[in-house]
Every structure is written in C-alpha cells, then in structure tokens.
Amino acid sequence: MILYNSAVSGNCYKVRLLFAHLGIDYDAREVDVVDRSKRPDILGGLNPALRVPTLVLDDGRPLAESGAILWYAAEGSRFVPGDRYARAQVLQWMFFEQYEHEPAIAVARFLIAYSQLPRDEYEKRLPRLWADGARALDTMERHLADRTWFVGDSMTVADIALYAYTHAAEEGEFDLSGHAAIKRWLERVAAEPGHVPMF
C-alpha cells in the first residue's frame, strides 16, 4: 500500500500509529504540509479534497480521510469492539475528534509551529482556537476521570484518533498541566506494545 503522508500531520500520524500496532507494511510518500501547489498533480486522481493522509490500497483503490482509513484498517482487529453499541461509541469519539478537537488543537498547532507565517498574521485567531480546544480537552478530562480508555477496557481506534493531536497539543500552546486524567491516558497509550512516536 502507498500512504501519502506528512510527518508533522497528526491525521497522518494516526494512520502510521495504527499501522505500527497492526504490523501493516506500506510505502510512505511525503507530501508538503505547507506548500500545497503540487497537490493536484500528486493527489488529484486519488482524493478530491487533496488532503493527506490518502491511502492507495494494493489493488489501486484510493481511500481518503484519516477516520475512514483507521476504520478500514482496524476492522476485525482488537482496535474495533465486537459489540455494536461499543463500536458506535468508538465512532462517537472519532467524530468528536474531527468536529470539536482537531479544528481547534490541530489548527492552533499548525499556525504556531508549522505554518511559517508571522505570528501577527494569525494572532487574532488564537483566543478562539484556545477556547475551543480547552473545551474539547475538558470534555476528554471528564470522560477519562474514571476510565482507562475512551471505550471499553482496551485501546481502540478512538484512543488512537484522539492521541495524535492531544499528545502534541502543547505545540499549539495548550496547557495540559491541569488535565491529570488526560496525562495518565497519554502515558498509557505511549506504553502500549507496538507504539511508535510521531517523529
């Protein structure tokens, strides 16, 4: 398989992390996360949104969006529960990650750490991003206060999806010091056999 990837992208890291846990071999092709001018040539026939990650299966079929790739790869593995309701809960947290969490935490992180823009060009956006991200982190903290994992008794793709940008949140100037449950959960994810770091 071919994974069109960006090393600094949390969405791409989710896929790489799951693949590492599952022992899936793939060929990574790096796509610039800042300069998008070549994306129509690289991804135009594979992903209408021209985003990474984009996966090309062994038979040539493309699959876009990190959540869809995670679900496709994890189906039938220990990372997707067998129970129908538990599977829906996993999807609930994956949708939360893309709707509430990623648009704030990932965007602040990108602007500050990777966009190469002068800070004064995005400074006015940060208070809203920080407020939205703090709300998402508070939601996670409440949920994890009396749980080991987001769903059930073992790590699922929900944990992988949420781990990627949460563990890098400080690059977006989010303070995790008041989130003890999240910090314990981050340590648990990183301690799982097969874990690989983002870089």
Side-chain angles (χ1 to χ4, degrees):
M1 293 191 295
I2 299 168
L3 177 65
Y4 288 91
N5 173 67
S6 168
V8 302
S9 163
N11 285 318
C12 293
Y13 174 51
K14 297 169 197 175
V15 176
R16 298 195 312 270
L17 180 54
L18 177 64
F19 283 7
H21 280 293
L22 294 175
I24 294 175
D25 292 325
Y26 61 95
D27 175 22
R29 297 190 183 173
E30 198 69 11
V31 178
D32 196 310
V33 74
V34 176
D35 178 5
R36 298 178 177 230
S37 62
K38 296 180 181 176
R39 289 198 181 190
D41 295 331
I42 298 169
L43 298 173
L46 304 172
N47 180 349
L50 305 178
R51 282 198 295 262
V52 290
T54 296
L55 182 69
V56 179
L57 304 175
D58 287 334
D59 62 8
R61 290 179 297 167
L63 187 59
E65 301 298 332
S66 60
I69 297 169
L70 290 178
W71 197 258
Y72 177 86
E75 193 169 13
S77 79
R78 65 186 177 95
F79 296 104
V80 174
D83 176 74
R84 181 181 180 187
Y85 180 69
R87 286 197 306 277
Q89 288 183 308
V90 169
L91 287 170
Q92 168 191 311
W93 284 106
M94 292 175 72
F95 295 153
F96 165 85
E97 189 271 339
Q98 285 288 285
Y99 187 74
E100 298 286 342
H101 181 281
E102 194 262 7
I105 294 174
V107 171
R109 173 182 175 264
F110 174 77
L111 289 172
I112 293 168
Y114 299 103
S115 72
Q116 302 173 9
L117 295 171
R119 188 157 178 135
D120 60 6
E121 289 191 24
Y122 59 78
E123 185 85 50
K124 290 181 180 178
R125 297 180 62 188
L126 292 176
R128 175 65 183 270
L129 293 170
W130 287 332
D132 291 348
R135 187 171 59 249
L137 291 169
D138 288 345
T139 300
M140 293 169 63
E141 180 74 13
R142 287 192 302 273
H143 185 73
L144 289 167
D146 58 355
R147 293 174 174 85
T148 303
W149 304 103
F150 271 89
V151 180
D153 299 324
S154 62
M155 188 167 75
T156 68
V157 285
D159 297 285
I160 289 173
L162 282 159
Y163 178 82
Y165 282 114
T166 303
H167 95 289
E170 290 177 345
E171 289 187 290
E173 298 180 9
F174 292 94
D175 183 6
L176 297 180
S177 62
H179 295 85
I182 288 177
K183 291 177 87 171
R184 289 192 299 270
W185 166 76
L186 290 173
E187 291 171 359
R188 282 192 292 274
V189 173
E192 282 286 294
H195 181 83
V196 292
M198 189 171 193
F199 302 113

